[in-house]
Amino acid sequence: MARVDIRLGGSGGQGTITAAAILGYAAVYAGKNAVQTKSYGPEARGGAARGEVVISDEEINYVKVIKSDVLVALTQEACDKFIEDAKEGSVVIVDSMMVKDLPKGNFKLYALPIIKTAAEDIGKSMVANIVTLGVVNEITKLLDYDKLEKGVLSKVPKGTEELNKKALKAGVDLVKNMK
Amino acid sequence: MAYDYAKYLRPGKLPHIWCAGCTYGIVLKSMIRAIDSLNYDKNDVVVTSGIGCCSRLPGYVDFNTLHTTHGRSIAFATGVKVANPKLKVIALGGDGDMTAIGGNHFIHACRRNIDITVFVFNNNIYGMTGAQYSPTTPKGAWATTAPYGMTENNFDITSLAIGAGASFVARTTAYHATHCEKMIKEALEHKGLSVVEIINACPTGFGRKNKFKTPTSMLLWMKDSAVNVEKAKNMSPEELAGKFTIGVLHKEEKPEYLETYDATVGLKK
Amino acid sequence: MAKAERIEINKKWCKGCEICVELCPTNALEMVDFKVAVKDLEKCIACMQCELRCPDFAIVVYKKEKE
Amino acid sequence: MAKKLEFMMGNHAVAEGALYAGCKFYGGYPITPSTEVAERMAERLPKVGGRFIQMEDEIAAMASVIGASLAGVKSLTATSGPGLSLKQENIGYAMLCEIPVVIVDVMRGGPSTGMPTGPSQSDIMQAKWGTHGDHPVIAVTPASVQEQFNETVRAFNLAEKYRCPVYVLTDAIIGQMMEQLEIPEPGELEVIERPKPDCKPEEYLPFDMDKEFVPLAAFGSGYRYHVTGLHHNSDGFPTNDPVLHTKNTVRLIERINKNYDDIMKVEEFMTDDAEVLVFAIGVSARSAKHAVIEARNQGIKAGLLRPLTIWPFPDKHIDNILNKGNVKGIVVPEMNLGQMTLEVQRVAKGRCQVEGLFSLMLDPILPGEIVEKIRRFV
């Protein structure tokens, strides 16, 4: 697997950075290389928050995400801001409730009710980031599901394991049911 | 039998660098007698100092000695003590060292109540650099950087130490050499941060220009101005005008920093 | 009357500050060539003020053993 | 046996590396973007029998680690540019008094308070010349989370071996990012313990100028000696003799220079036939490696020289490559305005062109920009 640059965009508090870190952690335990970075430069300003992680079977040299292979936008603002850095033919996943103005371009677009699923099916909107991970992995098949699940469970707060397990599974089902 | 200082002095290091009439030598002797009376193993004693005249003291005594950077005596001492709490750590410095450039370390060591003994050699002036004013130069006094007279207010070192949380605070003078020895001994025996302000004379930098004709006149000023703290309790403010108290000004038992730290973090010994 | 057997002075270390001479209550010490010297051992009452307050470790008073 | 694998933040990896090396004391003061080193040490040290203290300021923090080291304990502090500026006087003290300590500098944009969260590589010269006077400097430069660990261990080893302070010069990207880390088994990496003197205490000369190395005795171990930041004689007592001042200063600097081969560590990537060399450290070196691969794909003979020791400067390694006669130009990407480029130019002595690629933009230099510079030499 060549490097995959993943950008998870949302607003502050949605846990996109945590999700990126969990994905990186799970990838490392699955035997891959991963780098999760923070953002500092001029583009880091403004309201849209993002978690970024690069995953690869090869050595990761350049540490940051510039153009994304996978972009997730949980808000309209994040979508508008990050869409121009989505690679041609890349995967773009948006929250169908939050992103009304769907982006157009040469990429595979998935509009899915991620936040609604977290809030209504799982009962906690704060697990939207874990639902996101389920979605991303089901679409990209980056990691074996059980390895991802193991990664999630070892990084979430104690006592929330079942909740997060359900959230991850719900993300997978969102994609499966779409087919 | 005369007291034998030699067993605590490093051979070949005397005469010391201090000026004729500088009282630091008197205090050095008091310090040696105090330590001797406690029967410490010389290998367990660490003396740190900063920069200035009194900070040359560690070079003369046969302990583990550390002459550090200006003002940092206590900060170095803190590292030594935290790394090896078994060591008896003495941090000394002058009034400038301890209350100007090193003031921050002074108050925070008091706040922590770490088991270090601090001696502040207060001679009211920066002696080594040639008589510039310090935080304890009395208002109106002459200094090379206060050629028209000192305009700043001065610190009361003992009040500063008490306010910052030191658990043992005493004042003594070089004139009261036996009392000085006693205060140093009590400070060393105290568990926690102890401070002894030792009033000293700088005849060269301070005395000559501030109406003290001889070193002895400065010692006699100490004799006349010092009032034992117990005696002072029965004296009126008028009687105490122009005087200062000597003795143990503050003493309390409270948890020592390293004991608290080790217990709190469950230090694996 | 003298209570001191001898007073040792280390002239190499004495810096001539005169503290000992001026604090001596019996005028037993004096300055000679800017250094302390014993003027009259007989006058010494072994009060030890000079030794105690000599900053330079330059003066040592040996008391007479009690008779 | 499977290695202990972690996905860890760079700053935490520094702390873990220090613990692996046997560090038992941390004295610090909080400063972005280095604070996670302190936080990790505060939590972990008591579990291994060590102690942590948050001092009242950066100066005190530096003083405390020197004091702890003199008490015989391996000691660490971590800071960033402004804090490093404050520490400088005491770092010079440790250099002159030959006291082993490890100082981590997580570089951020300066001068002054500058860019507190903004990564940079602009303390390269501060590490070299920040303290006054002539002095020896060792600085290691990790470029990955694994190297944050391994190079911290090496920094402790160098500090103990050469009796001097050693810098871990890293940056806010490497320090703050998360990456895989294999924690080595005990014994897997070399850990150098401080040698103890074997002479009689009365014969001990802690700063013996006629010897290259003298073991540093711990306070309390029976060797009572004097330490002063004044220039001193072999026995530790002050001297004003300019001959001795010269002799000892030269000795301390030469001790580092003479052991270049032991202290120096570089990664050479495709340098054998390289016509264009890229010289970079830390996060910039990762961009540079990406760029070199890209350039090779374009048919350009590019190579990377990546020092993991930046002080002393890798003069010999640059010389060796330039002596092959293939190199037409050197590109030096760095997140400052040319601190390393000048040094590379000094070593190149006009044998080839040297061009810097500077950025203060806080993000890593883009591989594409480096490729563009490489192409200019072809």
Side-chain angles (χ1 to χ4, degrees):
Chain A
M1 185 186 101
R3 70 181 271 163
V4 180
D5 289 35
I6 301 159
R7 176 172 284 136
L8 310 178
S11 62
Q14 278 183 324
T16 54
I17 294 170
T18 307
I22 290 173
L23 190 56
Y25 174 84
V28 162
Y29 279 88
K32 297 179 188 302
N33 295 316
V35 183
Q36 185 250 325
T37 53
K38 293 184 179 174
S39 288
Y40 304 97
E43 80 291 346
R45 314 283 167 261
R50 59 176 145 169
E52 291 175 339
V53 60
V54 180
I55 296 171
S56 179
D57 283 330
E58 293 156 19
E59 188 180 2
I60 297 168
N61 290 311
Y62 186 73
V63 296
K64 302 267 297 188
V65 174
I66 304 289
K67 298 273 186 187
S68 62
D69 296 297
V70 178
L71 168 67
V72 177
L74 295 181
T75 64
Q76 186 71 52
E77 189 187 358
C79 182
D80 295 347
K81 184 171 174 183
F82 300 131
I83 195 67
E84 64 187 45
D85 287 326
K87 283 185 194 165
E88 296 230 334
S90 67
V91 169
V92 174
I93 302 160
V94 300
D95 184 88
S96 55
M97 181 175 77
M98 299 297 285
V99 181
K100 297 291 183 207
D101 188 5
L102 291 176
K104 291 178 187 67
N106 182 14
F107 40 72
K108 281 167 267 174
L109 180 69
Y110 301 80
L112 296 167
I114 295 169
I115 294 169
K116 189 164 171 271
T117 302
E120 293 176 7
D121 298 356
I122 313 297
K124 290 256 184 211
S125 60
M126 62 182 285
V127 296
N129 61 343
I130 304 299
V131 177
T132 301
L133 287 184
V135 169
V136 167
N137 200 56
E138 186 59 22
I139 291 172
T140 60
K141 300 290 185 192
L142 273 172
L143 308 173
D144 291 345
Y145 180 79
D146 55 335
K147 292 205 164 122
L148 177 61
E149 188 188 68
K150 221 174 140 191
V152 169
L153 295 185
S154 57
K155 284 291 161 187
V156 296
K158 281 209 166 59
T160 67
E161 289 90 345
E162 278 311 306
L163 190 73
N164 282 291
K165 215 168 159 175
K166 270 169 71 184
L168 190 67
K169 182 74 172 38
V172 173
D173 291 344
L174 270 183
V175 179
K176 280 186 176 159
N177 297 339
M178 184 186 71
K179 282 169 189 166
Chain B
M1 185 59 203
Y3 186 85
D4 180 21
Y5 294 97
K7 77 169 170 169
Y8 290 96
L9 291 171
R10 286 183 165 131
K13 300 301 171 196
L14 291 183
H16 49 61
I17 64 156
W18 299 316
C19 298
C22 168
T23 53
Y24 288 167
I26 306 175
V27 178
L28 169 57
K29 287 159 70 179
S30 295
M31 191 176 132
I32 288 173
R33 293 194 305 273
I35 293 173
D36 188 31
S37 71
L38 290 165
N39 283 317
Y40 288 158
D41 183 336
K42 286 199 276 185
N43 290 320
D44 293 341
V45 178
V46 177
V47 186
T48 73
S49 67
I51 295 295
C53 297
C54 72
S55 287
R56 293 302 191 92
L57 187 150
Y60 305 120
V61 287
D62 187 19
F63 302 116
N64 306 280
T65 56
L66 182 55
H67 176 220
T68 75
T69 45
H70 195 16
R72 317 304 170 198
S73 178
I74 295 175
F76 279 77
T78 302
V80 171
K81 184 71 184 180
V82 174
N84 185 356
K86 279 181 283 186
L87 297 171
K88 310 276 178 199
V89 181
I90 296 166
L92 60 87
D95 39 306
D97 216 34
M98 287 294 190
T99 66
I101 190 167
N104 204 27
H105 314 309
F106 181 77
I107 57 173
H108 287 278
C110 292
R111 176 180 61 81
R112 284 189 194 104
N113 197 37
I114 187 167
D115 189 28
I116 291 173
T117 304
V118 177
F119 301 140
V120 187
F121 289 58
N122 182 5
N123 62 3
N124 308 105
I125 202 91
Y126 284 88
M128 184 159 272
T129 46
Q132 296 74 36
Y133 70 78
S134 86
T136 60
T137 302
K139 222 167 190 177
W142 176 93
T144 58
T145 47
Y148 305 102
M150 175 67 167
T151 51
E152 296 181 18
N153 300 319
N154 56 11
F155 264 140
D156 174 342
I157 293 169
T158 56
S159 299
L160 183 66
I162 295 165
S167 53
F168 179 98
V169 180
R171 191 191 285 120
T172 184
T173 86
Y175 175 81
H176 299 83
T178 309
H179 181 263
C180 181
E181 174 188 336
K182 189 166 172 274
M183 291 300 103
I184 288 174
K185 187 181 175 191
E186 283 186 35
L188 287 167
E189 285 177 302
H190 179 80
K191 182 97 180 169
L193 194 284
S194 48
V195 175
V196 184
E197 180 191 6
I198 307 163
I199 306 293
N200 271 285
C202 176
T204 307
F206 186 83
R208 285 183 305 157
K209 295 288 193 152
N210 285 291
K211 296 177 182 137
F212 291 102
K213 288 199 170 118
T214 64
T216 313
S217 65
M218 300 187 79
L219 282 172
L220 293 175
W221 168 81
M222 292 175 204
K223 182 189 177 191
D224 295 340
S225 308
V227 179
N228 189 288
V229 66
E230 292 305 318
K231 192 181 166 196
K233 283 177 185 163
N234 300 318
M235 289 168 69
S236 68
E238 291 75 29
E239 289 171 309
L240 284 170
K243 312 259 187 203
F244 59 85
T245 51
I246 59 170
V248 178
L249 306 182
H250 177 76
K251 184 174 165 68
E252 64 178 308
E253 297 301 325
K254 67 176 179 183
E256 190 274 335
Y257 167 73
L258 279 169
E259 286 182 354
T260 308
Y261 176 86
D262 287 3
T264 306
V265 302
L267 187 81
K268 192 181 148 196
K269 294 267 166 84
Chain C
M1 182 59 200
K3 289 186 175 165
E5 197 174 278
R6 61 195 162 96
I7 298 172
E8 263 182 21
I9 287 160
N10 185 337
K11 297 231 182 227
K12 280 188 189 155
W13 290 359
C14 174
K15 290 179 183 148
C17 68
E18 301 186 34
I19 287 174
C20 55
V21 174
E22 290 174 27
L23 290 182
C24 177
T26 60
N27 206 19
L29 301 170
E30 65 180 336
M31 296 301 290
V32 176
D33 297 336
F34 305 104
K35 304 262 174 177
V36 62
V38 179
K39 186 162 95 182
D40 188 349
L41 187 64
E42 279 303 302
K43 283 187 177 170
C44 177
I45 56 169
C47 71
M48 311 303 281
Q49 296 236 25
C50 57
E51 182 187 315
L52 186 67
R53 298 202 177 84
C54 169
D56 297 298
F57 300 78
I59 186 161
V60 182
V61 180
Y62 291 88
K63 285 184 190 176
K64 271 186 185 169
E65 295 299 320
K66 275 184 184 160
E67 287 158 16
Chain D
M1 188 183 147
K3 289 211 177 137
K4 204 176 161 202
L5 192 64
E6 303 270 359
F7 186 62
M8 193 181 277
M9 183 191 240
N11 280 344
H12 288 167
V14 161
E16 292 300 325
L19 296 169
Y20 185 94
C23 174
K24 291 282 190 292
F25 178 86
Y26 184 98
Y29 188 79
I31 181 168
T32 303
S34 77
T35 307
E36 295 84 4
V37 181
E39 290 169 344
R40 186 86 170 191
M41 292 304 272
E43 188 189 334
R44 295 273 281 121
L45 267 173
K47 296 193 164 69
V48 298
R51 292 190 181 85
F52 167 94
I53 188 166
Q54 182 174 310
M55 294 299 284
E56 52 274 11
D57 57 36
E58 293 278 3
I59 299 168
M62 192 61 223
S64 73
V65 292
I66 296 171
S69 184
L70 277 165
V73 167
K74 288 185 181 179
S75 307
L76 178 75
T77 190
T79 189
S80 186
L84 192 63
S85 297
L86 287 164
K87 282 176 153 66
Q88 287 296 347
E89 186 193 12
N90 284 338
I91 292 172
Y93 185 94
M95 286 167 174
L96 177 67
C97 297
E98 305 175 47
I99 299 164
V101 289
V102 174
I103 305 144
V104 180
D105 176 25
V106 188
M107 291 185 277
R108 71 190 223 189
S112 190
T113 311
M115 289 288 204
T117 58
S120 93
Q121 297 180 315
S122 55
D123 295 344
I124 295 167
M125 283 300 167
Q126 187 185 191
K128 176 67 178 139
W129 293 117
T131 198
H132 56 284
D134 296 286
H135 50 262
V137 177
I138 298 178
V140 304
T141 49
S144 67
V145 171
Q146 187 70 51
E147 285 182 358
Q148 293 274 99
F149 185 102
N150 294 26
E151 290 305 300
T152 302
V153 176
R154 191 166 74 96
F156 271 98
N157 288 342
L158 291 169
E160 294 300 338
K161 199 166 174 184
Y162 295 101
R163 246 187 90 172
C164 64
V166 174
Y167 285 108
V168 176
L169 213 50
T170 184
D171 62 73
I173 296 171
I174 304 292
Q176 297 279 327
M177 75 185 196
M178 294 180 85
E179 193 172 26
Q180 69 264 28
L181 169 66
E182 279 182 12
I183 306 245
E185 295 292 324
E188 196 176 329
L189 296 184
E190 184 190 24
V191 171
I192 296 177
E193 298 305 336
R194 190 174 300 180
K196 292 186 170 72
D198 52 8
C199 62
K200 290 179 191 159
E202 57 272 25
E203 290 166 2
Y204 182 54
L205 291 174
F207 306 96
D208 194 341
M209 272 182 228
D210 297 317
K211 286 190 181 149
E212 193 176 350
F213 297 107
V214 183
L216 181 66
F219 279 2
S221 69
Y223 290 81
R224 298 187 303 276
Y225 59 99
H226 187 55
V227 186
T228 175
L230 290 161
H231 261 280
H232 41 259
N233 215 323
S234 294
D235 58 9
F237 292 97
T239 174
N240 287 325
D241 184 339
V243 175
L244 294 180
H245 166 57
T246 307
K247 180 179 172 182
N248 199 36
T249 309
V250 170
R251 164 183 165 260
L252 294 177
I253 293 170
E254 279 307 305
R255 180 158 84 183
I256 303 303
N257 292 344
K258 263 196 289 190
N259 290 287
Y260 175 98
D261 292 337
D262 184 48
I263 298 166
M264 187 51 58
K265 185 175 172 185
V266 302
E267 182 198 359
E268 289 194 35
F269 179 69
M270 296 186 157
T271 53
D272 279 352
D273 61 344
E275 292 175 359
V276 183
L277 192 65
V278 186
F279 182 97
I281 59 164
V283 71
S284 299
R286 295 185 67 146
S287 299
K289 198 168 187 179
H290 194 115
V292 165
I293 294 168
E294 179 63 33
R296 286 271 172 178
N297 288 341
Q298 294 177 20
I300 301 165
K301 286 181 178 170
L304 171 69
L305 178 57
R306 175 172 80 91
L308 283 89
T309 306
I310 194 65
W311 301 118
F313 204 72
D315 291 34
K316 268 200 237 172
H317 284 79
I318 297 174
D319 272 340
N320 287 343
I321 294 172
L322 293 189
N323 285 344
K324 291 179 195 163
N326 300 330
V327 176
K328 295 174 191 154
I330 306 177
V331 180
V332 188
E334 48 183 330
M335 291 172 70
N336 60 56
L337 295 182
Q339 300 188 15
M340 249 173 12
T341 303
L342 282 170
E343 285 293 298
V344 178
Q345 283 169 346
R346 173 183 62 76
V347 180
K349 295 189 184 74
R351 282 174 287 179
C352 67
Q353 278 184 284
V354 177
E355 268 202 47
L357 175 56
F358 312 139
S359 171
L360 300 183
M361 292 303 283
L362 312 181
D363 271 336
I365 296 170
L366 288 169
E369 296 176 74
I370 301 171
V371 172
E372 201 179 304
K373 277 270 183 192
I374 291 172
R375 293 184 70 89
R376 285 199 212 167
F377 287 119
V378 183

